[in-house]
Amino acid sequence: MKWKGRRASSNVEDRRGMGGKTVVGGGIGGIVIILLYTLLGGNPGDLINNMSSNNGENTTVPYEESTQEKESKNFVSVVLADTEDVWSDEFKKRGLKYENPTLVLYSGSIQSACGFASSAVGPFYCPGDHKLYIDLSFYQELKEKFQAPGDFAMAYVIAHEVGHHVQTLLHTGEHVSAAQRKSNQYSVRFELQADYLAGVWAHYAEGKGYLEKGDLEEALNAANAVGDDNIQKKAQGYVVPESFTHGTSAQRKRWFYKGFENGTIEGGDTFKAANL
Ligand SMILES: [Zn+2]
């Protein structure tokens, strides 16, 4: 992806090196209802650890980033800026106002409005504070663990999480009851819509001439890698379709590509689609 020298978003909050210290409202021993939107499926037990694990230590050591990390930070800031551009345009066309989300960079673990999370959960979006949370080491994980290398693979990840922000602002999927929203069926449709919206962003990037040869394939390969069937096969050797929360590799690729082809919010109603 061509990204060097382009506008970087200022909506990046760097909390690396600060640990997941418990802030007010963390409530040691309290019950926290988690509603955060991740890129990956997997075990929800990873989402939250013991809230009191940190003992409230507030030591803040300035984070020393490597050259590679510095580059990654710049890259995600440019991708975030691109998402700001496309979504403010798309919202304006519909007489709506887009509110930019904040991208929080963290290392290891983080306290969000959606609870305490470790980087094992992967990138996520918290609708409670309109922030995306990413540990940049995920870039490496994508390459090595998921065999999805390339900058556009990482761009897809950011765009997917921003997709969840767009869903939050548009209140998509809120036509069903809270109970229904907890079903896996619902989750899959919701996640595939975020993939579709990531595709809409890619369409925009293509139109601007930012894509390089192989970029689209990198994103599709990443969408394939994070499919529930692929993750389950790798983790346990077999697949349990009823437990899917994000869709199969084929579905994730299909909806991302649909968004890429269409380039508009319309066409991404995964809740009405007869076939996913
Ligand atoms: Zn997601």
Side-chain angles (χ1 to χ4, degrees), residues 156 219-231 248-250 252-253:
Y156 152 72
L220 287 166
N221 182 43
N224 185 70
V226 295
D228 286 326
D229 48 348
N230 189 47
I231 289 180
T248 63
S249 296
R252 298 199 71 166
K253 278 199 296 192

Side-chain angles (χ1 to χ4, degrees), residues 91-111:
F91 274 55
K92 208 185 281 168
K93 279 184 207 161
R94 292 163 183 82
L96 303 168
K97 198 179 175 323
Y98 182 66
E99 294 159 39
N100 294 330
T102 298
L103 170 64
V104 178
L105 298 177
Y106 72 98
S107 50
S109 59
I110 189 78
Q111 178 69 39

Side-chain angles (χ1 to χ4, degrees), residues 37-40 123 160-161 164 167 190-191 194-195 246 252:
Y37 304 131
T38 58
L39 172 80
L40 311 166
H160 173 95
E161 295 309 328
H164 284 311
Q167 289 176 305
F190 193 75
E191 291 296 334
D195 283 333
H246 284 63
R252 298 199 71 166

